[in-house]
Amino acid sequence: MLDGKRIILGISGGIAAYKAAILVRLLVKAGAEVRVVMTPFAKNFITPLTLSTLSKNSVLSEFYKADSGDWNSHVDLGLWADAFVIAPATANTMAKAAHAVADNLLITTYLSARCPVFFAPAMDLDMFRHPAVCHNIELLKSRGNHIIDAETGELASGLDGKGRMAEPETIVQTLSEFFNPKQTLNAKVLLTAGPTYEAIDPVRFIGNRSSGKMGYAIAEALAECGAHVTIVSGPVSVSVKNQKIKVIRVESAQEMFEASAKIFPNCDIAVFTAAVADYSPQFPANQKIKKSEQSLNLVLKKNPDIAAELGKLKSDTQISVGFALETENEIENAKSKISSKNFDFIVLNSLNDAGAGFGTDTNKVKIIDKHNTILDIELKSKQELAQDIVDVLCEHFNRQK
Ligand code: CTP
């Protein structure tokens, strides 16, 4: 999330300073290198030792080291950083920042910093809505500083209102979104997901172990980027969180094919994540089959290949993505599916990799495009992987537009 990012955490003197320990830990966990600068008063709320231990860097607070006379260079620190987060930002510190009152190292570092600056205000509710504070916040904003808005809730004074510092998780999330901006995808997307059930009789079916988790995670990530998503879904227990996603429920491959064929002509992107049964019983019984002979033969007929059939109708501007689960000759088989089904990309997962495939919450894949470029993605959660797949799609779609 913040891999290799160099972040200065400025801590000013408010009770929310106690949360700085968690903030440092989360920043370091997200991959950032953290250096802490604190106002002298902030040391009353949290010790430099706690912060230097967590950040693995010494904490700066004074202009110079009293014993050696060495100067702490706010200029070097300001130039070193990719981002400067001031959390908590008290009314006093924001006022000094807005008016260049450079009487401590935090403010001189702020005035020297060339990187983006984020203020996470924290104070009591009446202070927070005071016109002087509001004016300073507006002043800071108008100069391009980012404000991570305070939250509403119980305050240290015992009063209830707006003024609580944003939670450390929210601050890390804000930084992460700043450094990894989400792409937008103004597209209509058809996505097939889950297994199909092929009836043997009214109570039995041929199915498979697909959970639909990967497909639904991709649908969520697509919708998050602004795409209009319709899932044609086989029977699954997962459900959508984003209510803008339309879900059409089907059971058999034939039903999935018919529903998808109606949507496909009007979509910009089709993502075929469903584990469609290749065959179904040719003569499903109308009544429950009774046990009689020692063996039972079922005649199976081939189901429509949804991706291949729709691939034949695909226009030059439509993009389609397939999924393949292979156990041998993985890359060769995946590549041949790209051409036989007219895919632009195929996402290949291998059952040979631990943690990958059906039912698990993680997956490990390769994304292969029609020019045979292979992108190897390490084992990650299906949500994270969905985002990677959607990033590739966004890039391709937005480049093509
Ligand atoms: N697919 C489909 N309709 C089918 C079979 C597959 O839409 N009847 C889609 C899947 O959703 C997937 C891709 O085709 O995106 C490849 O699926 P896979 O099962 O690997 O391909 P098959 O053609 O069934 O090949 P195999 O013989 O390896 O099962």
Side-chain angles (χ1 to χ4, degrees):
M1 279 199 307
L2 294 172
D3 274 331
K5 291 285 175 256
R6 294 188 289 208
I7 294 179
I8 310 173
L9 174 61
I11 306 174
S12 57
I15 179 61
Y18 83 91
K19 289 188 183 171
I22 300 165
L23 182 52
V24 173
R25 200 177 61 83
L26 292 178
L27 288 168
V28 170
K29 209 169 150 202
E33 191 181 337
V34 182
R35 304 200 58 186
V36 175
V37 51
M38 59 202 301
T39 64
F41 192 52
K43 289 195 248 177
N44 294 315
F45 293 100
I46 185 161
T47 70
L49 181 61
T50 304
L51 299 160
S52 64
T53 309
L54 291 170
S55 68
K56 300 186 181 73
N57 277 313
S58 49
V59 170
L60 300 174
S61 179
E62 311 299 334
F63 287 116
Y64 59 92
K65 296 183 185 82
D67 46 356
S68 63
D70 285 346
W71 184 54
N72 288 324
S73 172
H74 56 87
V75 178
D76 289 349
L77 191 58
L79 294 179
W80 167 84
D82 296 309
F84 188 3
V85 188
I86 302 178
T90 57
N92 185 37
T93 284
M94 287 192 292
K96 287 181 182 176
H99 300 282
V101 180
D103 67 351
N104 65 44
L105 190 69
L106 191 156
I107 299 295
T108 51
T109 306
Y110 167 73
L111 294 173
S112 311
R114 293 187 186 167
C115 60
V117 180
F118 297 76
F119 287 86
M123 65 201 77
D124 211 45
L125 77 165
D126 292 308
M127 287 175 77
F128 192 62
R129 62 186 174 207
H130 194 283
V133 173
C134 296
H135 176 71
N136 286 337
I137 289 179
E138 286 311 313
L139 214 52
L140 291 169
K141 265 197 219 168
S142 71
R143 294 177 187 149
N145 297 284
H146 302 261
I147 306 292
I148 306 175
D149 206 9
E151 293 174 2
T152 302
E154 198 189 334
L155 301 164
S157 61
L159 297 175
D160 227 28
K162 188 167 179 180
R164 281 164 65 115
M165 186 179 86
E167 289 302 324
E169 288 79 3
T170 311
I171 297 174
V172 174
Q173 183 66 22
T174 306
L175 289 173
S176 164
E177 281 167 15
F178 177 82
F179 285 114
N180 313 291
K182 274 222 165 77
Q183 306 211 47
T184 55
L185 188 64
N186 185 11
K188 289 189 209 120
V189 182
L190 157 70
L191 185 141
T192 67
T196 61
Y197 285 0
E198 311 299 330
I200 297 171
D201 68 18
V203 290
R204 302 181 181 98
F205 59 84
I206 299 173
N208 60 65
R209 296 184 204 279
S210 167
S211 62
K213 282 181 186 169
M214 191 68 240
Y216 275 61
I218 294 172
E220 298 284 352
L222 285 163
E224 198 56 29
C225 295
H228 301 278
V229 185
T230 304
I231 307 180
V232 178
S233 175
V236 291
S237 56
V238 276
S239 53
V240 286
K241 293 189 200 91
N242 187 326
Q243 295 308 313
K244 287 191 189 142
I245 300 172
K246 194 172 160 198
V247 183
I248 298 173
R249 295 194 182 279
V250 295
E251 286 224 334
S252 66
Q254 182 61 32
E255 287 169 9
M256 188 175 273
F257 174 57
E258 286 166 19
S260 303
K262 278 191 197 140
I263 299 161
F264 184 75
N266 286 320
C267 77
D268 303 300
I269 297 172
V271 185
F272 298 100
T273 73
V276 186
D278 291 326
Y279 294 91
S280 58
Q282 186 161 20
F283 306 109
N286 290 330
Q287 307 298 329
K288 186 179 169 207
I289 299 171
K290 293 304 250 182
K291 168 171 70 207
S292 53
E293 308 299 325
Q294 280 307 319
S295 63
L296 173 72
N297 291 322
L298 283 175
V299 180
L300 302 179
K301 68 171 181 357
K302 211 165 186 181
N303 279 333
D305 187 320
I306 304 169
E309 289 305 318
L310 299 182
K312 289 180 199 158
L313 309 173
K314 200 177 96 173
S315 73
D316 290 345
T317 56
Q318 284 177 307
I319 296 173
S320 78
V321 185
F323 275 68
L325 183 74
E326 304 289 342
T327 51
E328 52 183 359
N329 299 330
E330 303 167 340
I331 294 182
E332 253 163 67
N333 285 341
K335 281 182 184 169
S336 84
K337 282 177 190 169
I338 292 183
S339 53
S340 66
K341 305 198 189 203
N342 200 8
F343 290 139
D344 293 273
F345 299 97
I346 195 154
V347 180
L348 166 67
N349 33 145
S350 149
L351 269 188
N352 299 328
D353 290 312
F358 285 158
T360 60
D361 287 328
T362 52
N363 212 354
K364 181 173 183 297
V365 305
K366 290 181 172 62
I367 302 179
I368 309 174
D369 74 9
K370 60 182 176 190
H371 309 296
N372 291 336
T373 311
I374 302 179
L375 177 66
D376 232 318
I377 304 184
E378 79 266 26
L379 186 76
K380 20 175 114 172
S381 75
K382 287 187 173 171
Q383 274 73 20
E384 287 172 311
L385 190 57
Q387 192 55 57
D388 288 355
I389 294 168
V390 170
D391 285 345
V392 170
L393 258 174
C394 286
E395 219 175 285
H396 189 81
F397 182 77
N398 291 335
R399 193 172 348 117
Q400 175 178 288
K401 264 204 309 190

